[in-house]
Amino acid sequence: MELWYTQPQTENISFSIKVKEHLFTGKSPYQQIDVFDSEEMGKFLIIDGIVMLTSKDEFIYHDMIVHVPMATNPNIKKALVIGGGDGGTVRELTRYPSIEEIHMVEIDEMVVEAAKKYIPLTAGKLTDPRVTLYFEDGAEFVRRVKGHYDLIIVDSTDPIGPGEGLFTNEFYQSCYNALTDEGILVNQCESPFYEKNAREMRRAVAKIKRLFPISEVYQYNMPTYPSGHWLFGFASKKFHPLNDFHPQTWKEFGLKTKYYNTEVHRGSFMLPTYVREQINNAENPE
Amino acid sequence: MELWYTQPQTENISFSIKVKEHLFTGKSPYQQIDVFDSEEMGKFLIIDGIVMLTSKDEFIYHDMIVHVPMATNPNIKKALVIGGGDGGTVRELTRYPSIEEIHMVEIDEMVVEAAKKYIPLTAGKLTDPRVTLYFEDGAEFVRRVKGHYDLIIVDSTDPIGPGEGLFTNEFYQSCYNALTDEGILVNQCESPFYEKNAREMRRAVAKIKRLFPISEVYQYNMPTYPSGHWLFGFASKKFHPLNDFHPQTWKEFGLKTKYYNTEVHRGSFMLPTYVREQINNAENPE
């Protein structure tokens, strides 16, 4: 028997992974969660039918979501991860001995439980003593905090279902308020290629641009996400990701990384013309 | 009825495009050629079951294969394209009024005929008066030429079937000989991500490195190729793509491009660590 997982990446494009074993299926109050094992991609996590991570390419996403802000401000002490239930973002943060406090707010405990049981590759550092997990709505959590975090990472799903509240003006305003004066916000910012992702990217960029004096977008190659060309937003009250970049200080941490390096840091902000134009022209349709 | 084209990108990964119409199918002495129309990707060309180009993302490939060498040596006058039967590489070359001679050697006339009839978007400039088409084996063609071309672009399929001869030591040596002392060789160099592509990439890099004093690899994001992370090789007897880069001269050509720009030029050489390591460690298994 051949078993294939298939994701419709748009109405007219689909991507499939041959499956060895269906390890877990569960329906939480928020979403449908599945974990598979495969020859090509190793274990992979699916939420509401969409690839969240595979063991083979998660290093790209997690390198880029964490090391870009950390190399911009190597003095980050207090970090908040919103979403990120697989634990990969927290894992990369725990590699910095200088970070003192890592809060993770994930709405869906079942995602964390499934990752802990089946994907220790990403979930293995959730037990670090500096990490505190909160199982509640990220938008509500962050609304209650003022001037506390040096870094907020929005490691969200697409803006449908439980991820929707993490793409609103109000949410980004709460993040702004929850950051210190040196704070950095990094957010999962969709993709420029297929129109359905590009529209969400432009909406998110427009909203963040209005709030933060510094707002940039950077790219990375994520093979199992639609088109493979994916983006993070970088916004800050003070630090620019290139002008305030500290490559030498970052190298002194001595971290071995498989995707990120200080050249990739710079290159990730050098965007193709059609991406740059979308970002420059982004308005706020809310 | 729903009609889907599906490409197995590895034994365990497949990529599918919903089809509106199967416009052409033909079997030449060399390969199986198909052209489809689709909602998402427009017209697309398939050779031996593999995506060669789609109307939606061909601009990325053709921008990067042509403008990177042209911005490194804006004085290129004589160019040879090996393969490239769809005409997209020639189209980009014809945009430079300074180029005097464009030779294209494509083994399979049926590819050119199909592209001319069904995909004028890429094939529309094959009638430019500076262009001469040769329908013969590229490896044999280039073996007869000495010190003539300023630029050779190897716009080949994967190294199986008729493309195989365009990945050998002997072929690269012929290219070296056919170039002037200022000559540049750009070659389709596969991808670092899935092992089957990565192995071919390492083999090609190792062979070219042994011949040319300057040998680099650069990346671009190609949504319809496996993993979306794809590479070109850049080799030269004289010019380094960054040290001899002429952004200002290139801007003076006044070309509007959708992917390439002078920032992307720089960024495309800033490779992720796992890619850089494969390239640095590439040996020559021949």
Side-chain angles (χ1 to χ4, degrees), chain A residues 98-282:
Chain A
S98 53
I99 295 183
E100 294 166 1
E101 172 186 289
I102 302 169
H103 293 165
M104 182 176 115
V105 192
E106 165 60 59
I107 198 167
D108 195 344
E109 190 165 2
M110 192 186 280
V111 175
V112 176
E113 292 309 313
K116 276 185 176 167
K117 184 156 179 196
Y118 297 104
I119 316 179
L121 172 69
T122 53
K125 297 293 179 183
L126 290 173
T127 51
D128 185 286
R130 293 167 294 170
V131 176
T132 310
L133 301 185
Y134 300 86
F135 295 108
E136 58 174 293
D137 180 63
E140 286 180 25
F141 180 95
V142 76
R143 198 185 298 139
R144 302 194 297 264
V145 186
K146 306 291 171 211
H148 182 75
Y149 296 108
D150 304 308
L151 173 64
I152 297 178
I153 295 179
V154 186
D155 184 359
S156 71
T157 58
D158 294 332
I160 39 166
E164 201 172 349
L166 306 182
F167 283 78
T168 66
N169 273 328
E170 197 210 339
F171 170 68
Y172 296 130
Q173 180 69 60
S174 300
C175 289
Y176 184 95
N177 297 342
L179 287 167
T180 63
D181 291 342
E182 303 196 334
I184 294 172
L185 173 70
V186 169
N187 68 305
Q188 192 283 94
C189 203
E190 302 288 304
S191 162
F193 189 73
Y194 294 119
E195 182 50 24
K196 107 180 155 160
N197 305 123
R199 188 171 51 241
E200 298 302 343
M201 178 271 281
R202 293 191 301 269
R203 285 163 55 96
V205 166
K207 292 171 189 173
I208 291 171
K209 250 190 195 175
R210 294 200 313 183
L211 287 171
F212 285 83
I214 293 162
S215 168
E216 300 289 338
V217 165
Y218 63 102
Q219 65 191 349
Y220 54 103
N221 189 277
M222 196 64 192
T224 54
Y225 286 5
S227 89
H229 195 178
W230 217 256
L231 305 173
F232 287 127
F234 179 108
S236 172
K237 300 183 184 181
K238 181 170 175 189
F239 294 118
H240 188 279
L242 298 175
N243 303 340
D244 298 300
F245 177 35
H246 289 84
Q248 198 48 47
T249 313
W250 186 81
K251 284 176 187 165
E252 285 160 16
F253 282 115
L255 302 180
K256 186 159 166 45
T257 46
K258 206 170 147 192
Y259 189 89
Y260 179 84
N261 58 53
T262 55
E263 283 286 284
V264 164
H265 182 116
R266 288 196 180 88
S268 69
F269 290 90
M270 297 172 177
L271 303 175
T273 305
Y274 85 103
V275 183
R276 173 61 60 204
E277 285 175 353
Q278 287 186 70
I279 289 163
N280 290 350
N281 300 335

Side-chain angles (χ1 to χ4, degrees), chain B residues 17-37:
Chain B
I17 304 173
K18 191 174 173 184
V19 166
K20 282 206 301 202
E21 195 180 349
H22 193 170
L23 296 170
F24 174 78
T25 187
K27 198 164 170 52
S28 79
Y30 306 103
Q31 49 208 355
Q32 171 73 35
I33 299 157
D34 292 277
V35 181
F36 295 90
D37 194 11

